[in-house]
Amino acid sequence: MTGLPGPADGKNRDARSGDGQLRAPIPVARGPAPTHRLPGLLAALCDRLPEDRLVEWEQMLARANGPNDPLLARFTASQSAAGTAERMKALLQVWRTELPDLPGTGLALALAAVRAAPRPFPAQPVISGPVSAATPARLTSGVVLEVIRSASASLLIATYAAHGASDVVEEIAEAVSRGVQVDLLLEETTHAAAVFSGLTPDVRIWHRTGSAGVLHAKAVAADRHTALLGSANLTDRGLTENVELGVVLRDPGVVGPLVDHFRWLIAPQSGLMRRCT
């Protein structure tokens, strides 16, 4: 007896409609879609770099014909931040392996999409001294300046010692010129205030009122959104040569209470710190 094959007769049989017309075979899924490393590398890039640097990367990628474009090799070689060149090399290698025909405009669009999506705010390591490939850390000297530049309303800085670091002092002066209120919490016994003597009286300098203990905290907080915490003082060696370690926090839920604590320390009602004139 002949007739149409039953459901178990062959996986690629033709499908016919009720009117007997031949229809195209229905494709059969053959397993999960391949996974790519590029999305993860782009996400890690967004976690690591500030907004202006990400935009610079997007613009450079959009100009590239593909992963082998010499323009990208030169751009990679120009990266000075610790670990950044290595990340770019890894990105290019995976691009060549996974999607070599993808134009730079496509990867730039993908990076822009990841940057625009809501993301968590992971802590980022910051170091002074020798740089290794063990961790994608950034240099303290550059991060301090970035945090100061990101302030639009208030800037709170605490340090045990301060000397040299003229670029930090200049960046604080720039913040004052754009209307940022600056508070410096300094340890009096180290004469840290002398470094900032050239700043305008609008910059408020605070010392402890008591003799017990010292102000040993090191922090730079921009508004209530970004803070750098670490072991480095605002000194030339602390920001560059010493072996120092810190983290950048970009979560307002964490930075806000931290700023509130320092604001409480300098509040007149606490009686813990006095303003120097």
Side-chain angles (χ1 to χ4, degrees):
M1 180 176 180
T2 61
L4 292 174
D9 293 336
K11 294 182 179 180
N12 297 320
R13 67 179 179 84
D14 294 335
R16 296 179 183 271
S17 65
D19 59 5
Q21 296 296 315
L22 185 65
R23 296 290 185 261
I26 300 173
V28 178
R30 298 186 181 275
T35 57
H36 295 290
R37 292 177 55 201
L38 271 177
L41 291 175
L42 294 177
L45 202 63
C46 288
D47 288 341
R48 173 182 171 79
L49 297 181
E51 189 79 5
D52 57 336
R53 296 289 301 283
L54 288 172
V55 172
E56 181 183 6
W57 279 52
E58 289 171 19
Q59 293 172 344
M60 188 60 60
L61 288 170
R63 293 169 54 192
N65 294 322
N68 296 314
D69 194 316
L71 180 70
L72 294 176
R74 292 192 297 269
F75 179 67
T76 300
S78 70
Q79 300 303 300
S80 58
T84 303
E86 287 74 14
R87 282 180 174 268
M88 186 64 178
K89 290 177 182 177
L91 181 69
L92 293 177
Q93 182 57 44
V94 173
W95 186 5
R96 294 187 191 100
T97 302
E98 294 184 346
L99 297 168
D101 296 328
L102 178 70
T105 51
L107 199 59
L109 181 60
L111 179 57
V114 175
R115 179 170 60 87
R119 300 183 55 74
F121 302 93
Q124 298 176 332
V126 178
I127 62 170
S128 298
V131 177
S132 74
T135 178
R138 303 182 60 207
L139 297 178
T140 308
S141 55
V143 174
V144 168
L145 301 181
E146 285 183 3
V147 174
I148 295 174
R149 289 170 189 154
S150 71
S152 59
S154 64
L155 181 65
L156 191 148
I157 297 177
T159 187
Y160 172 76
H163 55 77
S166 58
D167 51 350
V168 174
V169 178
E170 292 173 4
E171 204 62 55
I172 292 174
E174 287 292 327
V176 173
S177 68
R178 62 177 184 267
V180 176
Q181 176 61 63
V182 179
D183 289 284
L184 304 177
L185 287 69
L186 309 174
E187 173 54 37
E188 188 172 13
T189 62
T190 64
H191 308 289
V195 175
F196 307 103
S197 60
L199 297 174
T200 69
D202 293 332
V203 175
R204 302 185 297 196
I205 297 178
W206 305 87
H207 287 156
R208 295 176 303 111
T209 56
S211 58
V214 296
L215 190 153
H216 204 250
K218 295 93 174 178
V220 181
D223 302 328
R224 299 174 63 85
H225 55 70
T226 305
L228 167 63
L229 310 179
S231 61
N233 286 300
L234 293 184
T235 66
D236 289 337
R237 294 189 65 181
L239 297 177
T240 57
E241 298 177 11
N242 294 347
V243 177
E244 308 279 1
L245 179 64
V247 292
V248 178
L249 305 174
R250 301 185 188 277
D251 186 344
V254 177
V255 176
L258 175 71
V259 171
D260 289 340
H261 172 70
F262 282 106
R263 295 291 178 201
W264 172 76
L265 288 175
I266 64 179
Q269 57 268 32
S270 76
L272 297 173
M273 304 198 75
R274 70 184 191 280
R275 182 178 177 182
C276 301
T277 57

